[in-house]
């Protein structure tokens, strides 16, 4: 059990560029979640996958954001045409689907995005 | 709409003193409630959660929380704080559909004085 891994740890980009982040969940965890956390705020749910299926997506999420989990293992989060307001920590978490009362999320350390 | 309020942005306590972090929620039905801790450079870690049953919930690292429906509160407590407890603490509410679709509060930063 190596934990949830996110890459890169830091990303600096210019406004208008596209960026992609990767999340490797704990092996055999079939649920994967993405969150965004800005300074002074709690994490904000973005989307989640069960295996390769994207089951929920925040209604607040811009169309410039897209996430994939093609083989039900790692996931990528892409932001197109980045804006300064996209600057945030992007967190990934994974869990093993089971009874709701037993599910436990494990979080990665996040990718810090700075849009100049 | 669901919401979570953590009234205290920053709290400082002396090592060995007791701790209570406040959390109030707004939710139409019986909520699923969580407390997470975030240390610098580390991922969020679940301290405890409440789904139903006993309103006093025990968690890891000596933390406990009490669900009070009449006050819409889920306050986190620890009888004796250690320097390693310094971190940011987040309260969250969910509807149980998936444990990850949560509404988080803005967090309370805990500092511990020696």
């Amino acid at each position: 059990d190596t934990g949830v891994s996110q890459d890169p740890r830091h990303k600096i980009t210019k406004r208008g560029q596209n960026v992609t982040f990767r999340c490797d969940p704990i092996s055999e965890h079939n649920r994967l979640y993405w969150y965004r956390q800005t300074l002074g705020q709690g994490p904000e749910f973005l989307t989640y996958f069960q295996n390769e299926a994207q089951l929920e997506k925040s209604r607040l999420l811009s169309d410039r954001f897209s996430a994939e989990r093609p083989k039900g293992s790692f996931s990528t989060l892409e932001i197109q045409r980045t804006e300064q307001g996209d600057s945030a920590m992007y967190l990934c978490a994974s869990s093993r689907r089971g009874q709701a009362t037993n599910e436990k999320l494990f979080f990665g350390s996040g990718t810090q995005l700075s849009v100049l | 709409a669901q919401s979570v309020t953590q009234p205290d942005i920053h709290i400082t306590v002396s090592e060995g003193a007791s701790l209570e972090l406040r959390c109030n929620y707004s939710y139409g039905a019986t909520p699923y409630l969580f407390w997470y801790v975030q240390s610098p450079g580390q991922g969020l870690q679940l301290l405890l959660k409440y789904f139903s049953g006993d309103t006093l919930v025990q968690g890891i690292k000596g933390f406990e929380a009490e669900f009070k429906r009449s006050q819409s509160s889920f306050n986190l407590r620890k009888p004796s704080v250690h320097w390693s407890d310094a971190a940011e603490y987040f309260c969250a509410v969910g509807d149980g559909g998936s444990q990850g679709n949560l509404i988080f509060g803005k967090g309370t930063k805990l500092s511990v004085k020696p």
Side-chain angles (χ1 to χ4, degrees):
Chain A
D1 182 346
T2 58
V4 177
S5 177
Q6 292 190 245
D7 184 68
R9 293 295 301 273
H10 303 276
K11 178 71 176 179
I12 300 173
T13 191
K14 293 183 179 179
R15 184 163 51 94
Q17 298 294 306
N18 299 343
V19 294
T20 300
F21 311 138
R22 176 179 171 125
C23 172
D24 286 272
I26 292 173
S27 178
E28 298 182 355
H29 276 191
N30 51 10
R31 285 187 169 180
L32 186 147
Y33 301 84
W34 285 100
Y35 304 82
R36 174 173 57 196
Q37 185 177 18
T38 54
L39 200 61
Q41 302 292 319
E44 173 195 6
F45 169 80
L46 296 180
T47 187
Y48 108 88
F49 294 83
Q50 183 160 294
N51 300 313
E52 66 275 9
Q54 188 173 18
L55 297 187
E56 288 186 57
K57 187 175 177 181
S58 170
R59 287 170 290 177
L60 303 176
L61 197 59
S62 162
D63 290 343
R64 297 183 295 105
F65 286 69
S66 62
E68 294 183 341
R69 194 182 183 198
K71 297 183 179 179
S73 57
F74 74 91
S75 175
T76 58
L77 177 68
E78 181 183 17
I79 308 174
Q80 296 182 326
R81 305 180 303 282
T82 53
E83 302 172 357
Q84 288 185 326
D86 297 331
S87 296
M89 177 75 80
Y90 289 84
L91 301 171
C92 176
S94 71
S95 68
R96 187 193 310 271
R97 181 181 183 271
Q99 289 186 334
T101 53
N102 292 332
E103 184 182 1
K104 181 178 179 181
L105 269 64
F106 293 83
F107 281 81
S109 298
T111 293
Q112 181 66 54
L113 173 66
S114 297
V115 182
L116 305 179
Chain B
Q2 300 175 49
S3 67
V4 175
T5 301
Q6 294 182 247
D8 304 305
I9 296 174
H10 190 186
I11 285 182
T12 300
V13 300
S14 297
E15 190 168 16
S18 63
L19 170 70
E20 182 169 28
L21 302 181
R22 296 184 290 165
C23 172
N24 294 96
Y25 66 89
S26 173
Y27 189 72
T30 299
Y32 290 5
L33 295 161
F34 305 80
W35 274 101
Y36 280 87
V37 60
Q38 187 175 39
S39 299
Q42 298 190 19
L44 284 151
Q45 182 180 22
L46 178 67
L47 287 175
L48 47 79
K49 58 186 176 183
Y50 171 79
F51 277 27
S52 64
D54 192 345
T55 56
L56 185 62
V57 181
Q58 300 298 319
I60 62 171
K61 303 185 179 185
F63 286 93
E64 66 178 26
E66 187 170 12
F67 171 59
K68 293 186 177 180
R69 185 188 301 274
S70 61
Q71 298 178 19
S72 297
S73 70
F74 188 57
N75 294 349
L76 182 72
R77 301 193 295 247
K78 187 170 185 178
S80 177
V81 169
H82 188 262
W83 64 266
S84 61
D85 293 324
E88 187 140 27
Y89 292 79
F90 293 94
C91 181
V93 64
D95 63 8
S98 70
Q99 282 203 25
N101 191 346
L102 303 175
I103 304 293
F104 283 86
K106 293 186 177 182
T108 297
K109 183 177 180 180
L110 173 66
S111 297
V112 180
K113 290 189 299 185

